Amino acid sequence: MNLRFKKAWASGLISTGLLIFLPCVPVWAYQIDKNKRIIAVSPTGDYSTDAQKALAYLLQRPDKDTRWTFQFNPGKYYLSKPLYGVGLKNVQFSSNPDNPAILIKADNFSQSEYLIYLRMSEKIGVRGFQFYGRTSFKDNNNPVWPDQGLFFGSCRNVNIERNQFYNFGNAALRVTTSESDPVQGVNSFDTTVTGNTFNNIYQISTTSNDEIHGATARYWLKNNTIVNLRGSVKFASRTPGAKDVYIVDNSINGSEHYGLEIDNFDNMEIRGNTLQNIKGIAINIYTNPRVRKGFNWGNNFTIADNKMHNVRRGIRFSPDPSADGYKPVPKNLQIINNTLTQITESDPHVPAIAVSNGVVNGIKITDNKLSSVKNKKFIGISKGSSPITQINNTGEGKALETQSIGGGSVASSPSPSPSPSPSPAKPSASSPATSSNGLKAPSQLTAKYDGKLTVRLNWNDNAADETGLEVWGSFDSKKFDKIAQVYPDTKVFTHRLKQVPSQPSYYYQVRAIKNSTASPMSNVAKINFK
């Protein structure tokens, strides 16, 4: 254990006191075979308590450098409380994949969001289980934040293999740096997630819960089957140090949002995956909007040999400015030999493969095949990126040229209740208003509806040093609600709606923001629904 990790690990043990108290355990609570180094529980009696006592034994055992098996015998375990441990070492959570232990959140589940919660732990395996959350998504696709599965915070050498995850309203699996870690930045390393099935979940995630801890490094996501996603498979970090991720040979079939969503990582290989039936972007890579102090990211990305079918957009690589105005400049982006079919985006300004909203030093886009692209917009790269190698890309069987695209921002947000039909508002002819802090209001705001649940806003950005812009909407032109926040210097916003509303009209306004202050509102852009 290196010194940096040992500091965090030891601090975690002291802060929780888990190793200090261990009640006397009756011998019938669980079975121990010290010769084989196996501790086993069964789904009889008070198995929630028995399992936690068995875990406490493993936490306190003297031979932590020796591998132990924590065996769950077949059957259903309706857990009323989580399996919680800090400082666990050299333990294999084991079940028979062909006759698994099924861990289910009981109706009276309490004390934590997670079925299994481990931090400051190392050399941990989880194999052969079925895990069930409590969210059906029957009524809507919104996340249920407390309904989570497995958590590994500030752990290293974790192997998650041949498990099945069902019905989690938030993260079925979260591997990240714990917010309780005394070491800031990234302190989670060496995770392998392979051969698992995830069904009807909101996300798989690496996001930490605060702004001073990052995500993870050296992570392998391989040969997993992921269906009925409501959010995305998300690799996100709020600090530097998140890197060395391999997303290989996975299948993602069906997502209400994105397939892969990646923020602020370096050194990532995305290869040989199949992504289909994605309502948003198949592979969406962009600056984490919750990063307050920007840093460089996005170096050494390879996106190769993937297949994308029936997705709204294919690949988006967008090194947007962070909230403080910092502009990352990634280097070495390779998009090679991907196959994209049935791309459903109708906006004529949005390419199937886009490098946008920033500059990338060194881009190679070669041997990609695109077909059935609805808007006929194939490949676009933002101005200023160089050098660019673009060879042997084909669209509808013809050679493709890479097109330059401008700055803009295409964002997705919940509909205010939902959709409109166009009648672009007349732009204001007056000079833009200025607030007391010197921020000039956006001007010349217009709104256009494409008839297919998408509204495109355009405006002039007149502020010189804003930290972002806010888009506001209203059904009556009097009470406006915030729809979205976009990055500095943005002049374009696409509002995606869910259904046609019953109200006759909808109104938009935009304003610039600088930290906690804001400019006056822009002119109003009105859209008529009928």
Side-chain angles (χ1 to χ4, degrees):
M1 189 184 305
N2 68 33
L3 189 59
R4 184 172 187 262
F5 188 69
K6 184 180 289 185
K7 174 185 174 185
W9 180 80
S11 174
L13 296 184
I14 295 168
S15 65
T16 60
L18 272 179
L19 296 188
I20 296 173
F21 121 83
L22 180 66
C24 295
V25 181
V27 295
W28 46 262
Y30 47 83
Q31 296 177 335
I32 301 176
D33 187 330
K34 292 185 177 180
N35 293 325
K36 294 183 178 180
R37 299 184 180 89
I38 296 175
I39 188 165
V41 294
S42 297
T44 57
D46 186 6
Y47 45 75
S48 281
T49 301
D50 293 349
Q52 186 61 56
K53 288 178 179 178
L55 182 57
Y57 175 90
L58 292 168
L59 284 161
Q60 198 182 23
R61 75 189 198 279
D63 58 339
K64 289 188 176 180
D65 292 327
T66 303
R67 189 72 163 177
W68 272 70
T69 297
F70 189 1
Q71 177 69 47
F72 283 71
N73 293 323
K76 293 182 178 181
Y77 296 73
Y78 290 91
L79 297 182
S80 59
K81 48 195 169 185
L83 294 175
Y84 182 98
V86 180
L88 191 66
K89 185 177 179 182
N90 257 323
V91 172
Q92 174 72 42
F93 289 73
S94 183
S95 170
N96 180 356
D98 299 320
N99 187 16
I102 304 170
L103 274 58
I104 305 168
K105 285 186 174 181
D107 291 341
N108 62 341
F109 188 85
S110 62
Q111 300 181 24
S112 173
E113 301 177 10
Y114 297 92
L115 275 168
I116 298 177
Y117 181 100
L118 297 177
R119 59 185 174 90
M120 310 321 188
S121 300
E122 62 176 315
K123 297 181 181 177
I124 305 298
V126 180
R127 184 180 189 273
F129 290 83
Q130 289 184 6
F131 299 105
Y132 279 83
R134 295 173 51 82
T135 304
S136 68
F137 296 104
K138 181 180 179 181
D139 297 324
N140 58 59
N141 295 307
N142 297 330
V144 180
W145 299 121
D147 187 19
Q148 309 206 59
L150 275 58
F151 177 87
F152 296 89
S154 297
C155 297
R156 60 174 53 202
N157 297 111
V158 174
N159 185 22
I160 312 297
E161 179 185 7
R162 293 188 65 187
N163 303 284
Q164 300 173 49
F165 297 79
Y166 299 96
N167 305 342
F168 286 98
N170 190 353
L173 173 64
R174 188 181 299 273
V175 178
T176 188
T177 301
S178 171
E179 63 188 62
S180 302
D181 196 324
V183 179
Q184 296 185 12
V186 173
N187 198 21
S188 165
F189 301 98
D190 299 308
T191 301
T192 301
V193 180
T194 182
N196 302 280
T197 297
F198 299 85
N199 190 346
N200 197 43
I201 66 167
Y202 190 79
Q203 64 177 340
I204 300 166
S205 180
T206 68
T207 306
S208 185
N209 285 336
D210 62 13
E211 296 176 1
I212 64 171
H213 292 102
T216 189
R218 301 195 297 269
Y219 189 122
W220 286 259
L221 184 73
K222 185 175 181 180
N223 287 326
N224 299 283
T225 299
I226 305 162
V227 295
N228 298 322
L229 264 176
R230 311 300 168 152
S232 63
V233 177
K234 188 170 185 177
F235 287 81
S237 184
R238 298 176 188 172
T239 72
K243 60 183 180 179
D244 302 330
V245 174
Y246 304 88
I247 304 173
V248 180
D249 296 335
N250 301 283
S251 173
I252 301 177
N253 187 352
S255 175
E256 298 294 323
H257 198 44
Y258 303 135
L260 298 173
E261 185 176 6
I262 299 160
D263 309 342
N264 294 65
F265 271 75
D266 286 316
N267 305 345
M268 182 169 283
E269 181 172 324
I270 304 169
R271 185 182 296 275
N273 303 283
T274 299
L275 303 99
Q276 56 187 333
N277 304 317
I278 311 295
K279 290 188 177 180
I281 306 171
I283 302 174
N284 190 19
I285 305 164
Y286 61 97
T287 300
N288 190 328
R290 296 190 178 184
V291 171
R292 296 188 180 275
K293 185 176 181 180
F295 55 89
N296 205 50
W297 68 274
N299 300 302
N300 305 318
F301 267 69
T302 297
I303 306 169
D305 306 321
N306 302 286
K307 295 180 180 179
M308 287 156 263
H309 175 74
N310 190 30
V311 301
R312 182 159 191 160
R313 295 169 61 184
I315 300 168
R316 174 180 181 252
F317 190 96
S318 184
D320 319 82
S322 56
D324 63 352
Y326 180 87
K327 296 181 179 180
V329 182
K331 61 182 180 181
N332 190 22
L333 169 63
Q334 300 186 75
I335 302 175
I336 301 172
N337 196 38
N338 300 283
T339 301
L340 293 80
T341 59
Q342 199 170 323
I343 308 302
T344 62
E345 176 62 70
S346 58
D347 188 327
H349 302 280
V350 178
I353 298 175
V355 181
S356 59
N357 297 334
V359 171
V360 178
N361 288 335
I363 300 174
K364 183 178 182 180
I365 302 179
T366 65
D367 301 297
N368 298 285
K369 302 172 183 65
L370 296 88
S371 63
S372 299
V373 179
K374 185 174 183 179
N375 66 1
K376 307 301 180 184
K377 186 83 170 181
F378 297 103
I379 301 174
I381 298 178
S382 56
K383 297 175 182 178
S385 296
S386 68
I388 301 170
T389 302
Q390 188 263 330
I391 304 172
N392 296 333
N393 299 295
T394 58
E396 315 295 1
K398 299 179 181 180
L400 292 178
E401 294 295 330
T402 300
Q403 300 177 343
S404 293
I405 56 178
S409 175
V410 177
S412 179
S413 68
S415 105
S417 151
S419 124
S421 163
S423 172
K426 295 181 180 179
S428 169
S430 59
S431 300
T434 303
S435 67
S436 58
N437 64 1
L439 278 182
K440 291 184 177 181
S443 60
Q444 305 289 314
L445 174 64
T446 62
K448 294 183 179 180
Y449 174 56
D450 68 354
K452 298 178 181 179
L453 304 181
T454 299
V455 182
R456 184 177 177 86
L457 305 179
N458 292 268
W459 62 83
N460 291 340
D461 177 23
N462 301 305
D465 58 348
E466 79 266 30
T467 57
L469 296 104
E470 294 177 343
V471 180
W472 292 68
S474 170
F475 281 108
D476 61 6
S477 76
K478 297 177 182 178
K479 182 182 182 298
F480 281 79
D481 295 311
K482 182 178 172 182
I483 296 172
Q485 181 172 324
V486 296
Y487 297 105
D489 303 321
T490 297
K491 300 177 182 179
V492 178
F493 177 76
T494 300
H495 189 198
R496 308 200 197 286
L497 307 171
K498 294 181 179 179
Q499 64 187 41
V500 178
S502 58
Q503 294 88 338
S505 303
Y506 196 72
Y507 305 82
Y508 291 93
Q509 284 187 301
V510 180
R511 69 179 183 181
I513 58 171
K514 183 177 180 181
N515 299 322
S516 60
T517 60
S519 75
M521 287 288 190
S522 70
N523 61 291
V524 176
K526 178 184 177 182
I527 290 177
N528 296 321
F529 297 164
K530 298 179 180 179

